[in-house]
Amino acid sequence: MALAPVIEQRAGCGRGARAAARLMRVFMRPLVTRLPWTPLTLRFAPLLDLGAALMPSPRGTRVTRVAGLGCAAEWVRGRGVPADSDRVILYFHGGGFVACGLRTHRRMISRISQAADMPVLSVAYRMQPRVPIQTSIDDCVDAYRWLLETHDPDDIVIAGDSAGGYLAFMAPLHALRAGLPRPAGIAALSPFADLDIDVKIAHANAPLDPFIPARRMWDMVRTCFPGAELTDPWLSPVHADLAGLPPTLIHVGSIEVLLADAELMAERLGAAGVACTLQIWEGQAHVFQIFADLSREGLIAIQEIGAFARRVTTAVTPQKAA
């Protein structure tokens, strides 16, 4: 039975967010526009995560490395979050499938952990072009399977941003295909969900996005999805059978080009009978939550993610010590 997605227009864009968007338009968008997608340049993309080691985590953050997976991963607990919580979040970072990692996203993930009062398993899935996209998906499914050894599926929320938002949809879909139970919920931040870039080029936000030049996304698709059929349901979330997915929260900025993907994904989820809330945040850029140090709206959005995670899970988190 089809469900109309709940679409919330979140008004308000403060000076911090506007300043961040201006800086991205002046410095980041020209760089992304001109930087060639060649094997040589992509070889250095993972170094971005090493540089992020200079970014301190919020006070009280606890990080524990995880062994036993086919890729790097770590537990991140925000201040005051108990290690023995039954409820957890499984998080996949963004970065265009070629960059970023545990360090670039640790600060935002710590805030999400604190907002949800849950530990977060942050996964550094293997990336393109070193491995095919299926390997990235498999890494994420394996992390979910690993969590299921110690946690009830109704106590696991899967989340991610941008390319990680893509994986937050694809991992549950492939997990269901493998016979695994569905998680409690999905939270996707500015998700990439449609391999057809022409849709984004034609969107009204194409000239407005301060960070992503829509046409350059074809380079990402050609590199990370070589030879793929754009409507392949096992590679394109908007073309998949979504009926088995859990309640979903989607965040997107009103000026980013991936608004096209967010709106279409919410529509397709609703058509499949999946409860979906799409929050469109006024004046916000791509994955604005990562700029929460500058944007109060980023902090508010993170609180929304935490509230969603608590709402869709069932277990009672142990009481914190007084």
Side-chain angles (χ1 to χ4, degrees), residues 44-59:
F44 294 99
L47 295 179
L48 181 62
D49 189 52
L50 293 178
L54 299 175
M55 296 171 54
S57 298
R59 182 176 299 179

Side-chain angles (χ1 to χ4, degrees), residues 86-92 112 116 118-121 144 147 151-160 168 172 182-188 246-249 305-314:
D86 290 327
R87 302 183 295 178
V88 297
I89 297 172
L90 174 60
Y91 197 94
F92 309 131
I112 292 173
M118 303 177 196
V120 178
L121 179 63
Y144 179 55
L147 274 180
H151 293 79
D152 190 279
D154 289 339
D155 297 327
I156 301 173
V157 173
I158 296 182
R182 77 175 192 174
I186 295 171
T248 298
L249 172 68
I305 296 164
F308 169 80
R310 294 193 305 273
R311 187 166 63 249
V312 297
T313 52
T314 59

Side-chain angles (χ1 to χ4, degrees), residues 172-194:
L173 288 168
H174 283 253
L176 290 170
R177 187 187 195 185
L180 298 177
R182 77 175 192 174
I186 295 171
L189 288 56
S190 301
F192 174 71
D194 185 1

